Amino acid sequence: MNTIVLSEQFSLVNSWINELRNVEIQHDRMRFRRNMERIGEIAAFEISKTLEQKEIEIQTPLDTIKVKEIAVQPVITTILRAGVPLFEGILNYLDKADCGFVAAYRKHDANDYFSIKQDYLTCPNIEDRPLIVADPMLATGASLIEAIKDLLTHGKPTELHIVAAIASRQGVETIEKAYPDAKIWVGAIDESLTSKGYITPGLGDAGDLSYGEKLQR
Ligand SMILES: O=P(O)(O)OC[C@H]1O[C@H](OP(=O)(O)OP(=O)(O)O)[C@H](O)[C@@H]1O
Ligand SMILES: O=c1cc[nH]c(=O)[nH]1
């Protein structure tokens, strides 16, 4: 199974997603960012179970021991700005990873249709390394498709992991179709999108809730 829904098996993740969604709690920005970060931490832990391992020998004060370690450190990337807390959570656990960043935003026209504008990308070499892309809200999937297309100009990863806190069913299907080999780690999947491309019930605007209301461009 390539799409893993973290809240399907009840755990603390459900409580964190509930708080992210709840209008009476989500305005507490520090808690909102921290809950996103915690979902990133759990996703990183789950991803770590799937990563290739190697055997290493370490020296304790008393003896040596052969143990398992991650064979190839991943590259963790995210889409600014909403992705930062989720990204931080993944990096808290996969703390030896390299990191890359993409900046993208929805550019609205007079009819309120939007296209994705990407104006910044910096990333280490991802050739033969696991690539993790963190995007908290997988709504239409347009931002992720654009970001991944550009990230893949930095090499061919051994595997692709996508992490989202909340996804729409349509967004998941779009990514599954575009990247059938990718593993999608998602907190919860909601059934609908609004006419403005917002996940519903969703949680609202993740970037605004983390960092303040943006001016529309
Ligand atoms: O799947 P899509 O339809 O492309 O939408 C998803 C995008 O929206 C969110 O960013 P948001 O608008 O909250 O971010 P910002 O505050 O960083 O601009 C999210 O982080 C994605 O990048
Ligand atoms: O529901 C959505 C869709 C895009 N961006 C968000 O922050 N939320």
Side-chain angles (χ1 to χ4, degrees):
M1 222 197 7
N2 275 353
T3 297
I4 299 99
V5 184
L6 299 170
S7 60
E8 251 171 28
Q9 185 184 12
F10 179 79
S11 72
L12 279 168
V13 170
N14 297 64
S15 309
W16 303 334
I17 296 171
N18 296 347
E19 290 193 352
L20 288 173
R21 292 184 189 275
N22 188 330
V23 282
E24 293 185 355
I25 299 176
Q26 62 173 197
H27 57 78
D28 176 350
R29 276 193 204 157
M30 190 167 72
R31 179 164 282 273
F32 186 87
R33 291 192 303 267
R34 181 64 191 123
N35 280 331
M36 274 293 179
E37 202 179 336
R38 297 203 268 202
I39 293 168
E41 287 168 354
I42 295 301
F45 177 68
E46 293 298 324
I47 290 171
S48 73
K49 296 178 191 171
T50 73
L51 295 175
E52 194 192 331
Q53 307 161 13
K54 66 178 177 189
E55 195 176 77
I56 59 165
E57 189 173 86
I58 55 172
Q59 178 77 54
T60 78
L62 305 178
D63 203 350
T64 59
I65 182 171
K66 285 192 169 50
V67 293
K68 299 265 173 59
E69 189 42 280
I70 292 171
V72 183
Q73 288 297 328
V75 177
I76 308 170
T77 60
T78 197
I79 307 174
L80 300 172
R81 91 194 139 145
V84 172
L86 188 67
F87 161 86
E88 282 290 345
I90 300 170
L91 185 59
N92 285 348
Y93 279 20
L94 289 165
D95 56 12
K96 297 188 183 76
D98 285 344
C99 300
F101 297 89
V102 176
Y105 62 95
R106 287 176 167 185
K107 184 157 179 60
H108 294 263
D109 68 16
N111 301 316
D112 225 15
Y113 288 116
F114 66 85
S115 56
I116 306 299
K117 297 283 168 211
Q118 206 162 284
D119 48 19
Y120 176 80
L121 183 144
T122 188
C123 187
N125 189 2
I126 59 175
E127 187 73 27
D128 289 334
R129 304 175 67 178
L131 174 64
I132 302 174
V133 187
D135 188 15
M137 306 300 283
L138 199 187
T140 64
S143 307
L144 264 176
I145 297 267
E146 285 299 313
I148 294 169
K149 191 174 73 186
D150 285 4
L151 285 165
L152 293 181
T153 64
H154 285 63
K156 187 170 182 296
T158 48
E159 59 210 86
L160 173 61
H161 298 270
I162 291 159
V163 181
I166 299 183
S168 73
R169 176 81 50 201
Q170 178 191 317
V172 169
E173 285 171 4
T174 300
I175 299 301
E176 284 175 339
K177 204 160 150 208
Y179 297 104
D181 295 332
K183 266 204 164 11
I184 305 174
W185 305 84
V186 58
I189 298 179
D190 289 0
E191 289 309 317
S192 316
L193 276 178
T194 67
S195 58
K196 289 185 191 288
Y198 272 77
I199 301 170
T200 178
L203 55 74
D205 191 303
D208 290 3
L209 286 160
S210 293
Y211 299 115
E213 199 173 331
K214 62 182 139 302
L215 295 175
Q216 290 299 344
R217 298 209 253 180

